[in-house]
Amino acid sequence: MATIHVDGKQYEVNGSENLLQVCLSLGIDIPYFCWHPSLGSVGSCRQCAVKQYANPEDTRGRLVMSCMTPASDNTYISIEDQEAKDFRESIVELLMTNHPHDCPVCEEGGHCHLQDMTVMTQHDRRRYRFTKRTHHNQELGSFIAHEMNRCIACYRCVRYYKDYAGGTDFGVYANASRVYFGRPQSGTLESEFSGNLTEVCPTGVFTDKTHSERYNRKWDMQYAPSVCQGCSSGCNISPGERYGELRRVENRFNGEVNQYFLCDKGRFGTGYVNRADRPRQPQLRNGVSVTAISVDQALDRVIASLNGKKVLGIGSPRASLESNYALRELVGNEHFSTGMNQKEQSLVELAADIMQTEGIYNPGMREVESYDAVLILGEDLTQTAPRMALSVRQAAKNKAKQMAADKRTQDWLAEPVQRIAQHAKSPVYILAATQTRLSDIAEAEVIASPNDIARLGFAVAAVLKGEAILGLADDAKAFAETMANTLKAAKKPLVISGTSLQDPAIMEAAAAVAQALGETAGLTLTVPEVNSMGLALFGGLSLEQAFAQDYETILIVENDLFRRLPAVQVQAALDKANQVIVLDHAETATVQAADYVLSAASFAEGDGTVVSQEGRAQRFYQVYDPSYYKPEYVIKESWRWLHAIDTGLKGKEISWTLLDHVIEDVVRNVPQLQAIEDVAPNADYRIHGLKIAREPRRYSGRTAMRAPISVHEPKQPIDVDSALTFSMEGYVGPQKESSLIPFAWAPGWNSPQSWNKYQDEVGGHLKGGDSGVRLFDRLVKRPARTYVAPHAIVANPDTYRLVPMHHIFASGEFTVKTPAMQSRIPEAAFAVGEQDAARLNVKDGQHICVQAGDTTVNLPVQVIEYLPAGYIGYPVGLAPTISLAEPVAISVEAQAVGV
């Protein structure tokens, strides 16, 4: 700690930080541009100038940049000194000389950091009357719009894109006094984290192109605190709605999870909610014939279909805990399926089991950044858990920080740390089935079959335990020893694995390494979907077990079974039933096969709880009520539909009128999920007697929204399920539970930088603690397990195996339904290594047929530099679902396509 004096007042602060950061943490405003809590200080904009004095008697002082000055003990500064204020105003005026006068048409208007800082410095007159510098803009793809004329050369964009996110196709270029931030030439930004430029940039140079199509100001959107549905990482988001459409997704700060950044899948992949073809009313279906029916008709017919029948209930890892629980209550434990196939369920249950084992510690995503040696077994993280990949990239910088610390240089001094390190990195070892996007930071990256990855992982564990390595070649043994010795020498080693290669031995090898490393080690296991870990804790039958039962009616909740099992197997199971009832919010192959469809709410239209791969239970909240804009819409959470059906069957009164009622039932009846009641305050929570507003104070145009229906504005919808209100008439500000923050705004801070008003210290954690509850920390630990290395798979030159290959935009169920994603989704193709391409005598573009069981898949070939011999890369999400467990038959078409 250090004592500093600011304009005559004394404060106790963190002496390891700079003056700008500690002042902002104290709630003292200093304008700035180039500094960012995650990027450190470079002192390029000169906007954060303050007057520093040598001692209390010093009256002259000197101007210093607060972002470059440590908050050392007995520091005396003045922010209000007139010379400092004049200097800051002159800097803003200088930056504005070439900035266009286009605030009314700029898409950044209303949440622009430049606007906030200009007002803060009290600069309100332009004296520059000459020709402004102009630039040509670039086409940067379907996500980001570019307006270079608004640039103030703060360097934030290039420091984020290259230094933080590891992008290589974006930079800064200069000629005399002209500085340009962009690509060497127009083209789609290649980084999977490019969308963060829209929030990192303090002006309107980089804006959200997906929002541009249906643009509105920030203050005219309605928000809710939510959780990204794109993968299992559990990133926090603020979806914004206008006119019953999701218009934009912004990052919602969580100091233990995603902090300031999202991946592009999470930021731009929610357009499926606005699709016109999704069910928004209950439907009676007969093949291609679709008839909308009323709620009463739907419930009466569904209840009649279920009454006295043997009912099979199929849940889903993309549905909330509440919806899965409601389904289980309806059909009974013995007839409830998790909606996962046997392979997927066994993998996620293994992950949950490992995380509850004595001696295993699973860090949060932010803590991942603190580890100084990382071993990744079998995961292409950028494709399967992209935000985790960004955290690993930061972990690789810990050696540089340590080298700087040895020279008594603070880690927030970005440029000196880079110069001291000279590209030195903490060791990251990657064992994967194909080359990954993290190869540039890897000490070594080995491409191997899933079986070989597991065996090499067990070899590392054997070295750590002082046991002999059996069954590996000498070079593999030497490499295992190198990795083991590196991990053992690290202060905080981390092992990362997951389910993506569908081989349990890989996760068991990761657990064995973590156990051998001891209490300093961390273990992270990724799972496929937003609530996969929740379903693993919840329990239930696999799809294969469920379909083996005797049933007359199938009730399917938010699940496309054709993505889980081969189509022949799914169709046979559906044909076995007299009635197929589906609750979903998207048009899927399963919905098309249904007899009755009940229009379920998406994450934007309902509330629920999900559990991330970390075991963090978090709640998402309804952003808007669709029926307010279209009264004919009947969209309800799945648990509401199911409870209405259940009470109708049993002749009972409705007892779940609030989300809190469902949660209370879950807590009573599912011991492993008892902690979910602590995830967020209940619906009775108030601040000064007020619910929390979903809309900013300046929200306008509500009457016009419903003008086609009535020119009279009706009462806003009533939200009985949460402490949020569908209105701007409620509490807006930082003094609220972190789980209920719908958007970030504070007086004088309209931009995303306003998150500093919600934090205990800038860049730290939210006041009162970050959102979510870590369930594994509250569950009783199980005894440590012993894991056995798998036997080597003997290669057969006449057979091939399929290895899953994931793509960040193509492998998700709903990103492929999002229009903005279409240009980023690659063509479906089998990946073939050069060695096997020669064996098969195939070239790029030539088609091959893969026969797996009763399913045949015909796709073109993409020849890549290396894949393990005898393995063919299978594009998950882009091709029909087939079994990847057994060897497959390969046939080559006679003619090449496109060559």
Side-chain angles (χ1 to χ4, degrees), residues 196-267:
N196 294 307
L197 290 172
T198 63
E199 294 186 22
V200 167
C201 176
T203 73
V205 177
F206 302 99
T207 52
D208 185 339
K209 188 180 284 188
T210 66
H211 185 204
S212 302
E213 298 170 4
R214 299 276 286 166
Y215 179 77
N216 56 271
R217 293 301 192 195
K218 174 181 179 177
W219 61 76
D220 279 337
M221 277 193 284
Q222 182 166 243
Y223 299 87
S226 194
V227 179
C228 177
Q229 308 288 299
C231 73
S232 64
S233 296
C235 296
N236 289 196
I237 57 173
S238 288
E241 169 270 342
R242 180 76 169 174
Y243 285 100
E245 297 177 333
L246 274 193
R247 295 287 179 86
R248 182 174 184 174
V249 169
E250 296 180 80
N251 183 75
R252 189 164 70 95
F253 184 88
N254 186 315
E256 293 184 359
V257 188
N258 49 295
Q259 299 174 80
Y260 293 96
F261 304 121
L262 297 172
C263 74
D264 287 354
K265 181 180 183 180
R267 186 180 293 275

Side-chain angles (χ1 to χ4, degrees), residues 751-784:
S751 77
Q753 302 303 305
S754 55
W755 281 111
N756 74 73
K757 297 297 183 182
Y758 293 77
Q759 297 163 344
D760 54 6
E761 61 178 20
V762 176
H765 300 272
L766 294 173
K767 295 174 180 176
D770 295 303
S771 177
V773 173
R774 282 169 52 96
L775 300 183
F776 294 132
D777 292 348
R778 301 198 181 190
L779 296 175
V780 176
K781 290 291 186 180
R782 300 171 181 175

Side-chain angles (χ1 to χ4, degrees), residues 675-726:
I676 70 168
E677 67 178 337
D678 299 329
V679 166
N682 61 28
D684 295 330
Y685 179 81
R686 298 290 186 275
I687 298 178
H688 308 309
L690 299 173
K691 297 186 82 173
I692 295 166
R694 283 179 169 90
E695 301 166 358
R697 286 283 189 243
R698 292 172 288 174
Y699 193 91
S700 63
R702 286 201 308 227
T703 303
M705 286 179 180
R706 287 175 47 91
I709 302 171
S710 171
V711 295
H712 303 287
E713 182 185 353
K715 183 179 180 180
Q716 288 296 105
I718 302 299
D719 185 359
V720 298
D721 289 320
S722 76
L724 299 159
T725 176
F726 294 107

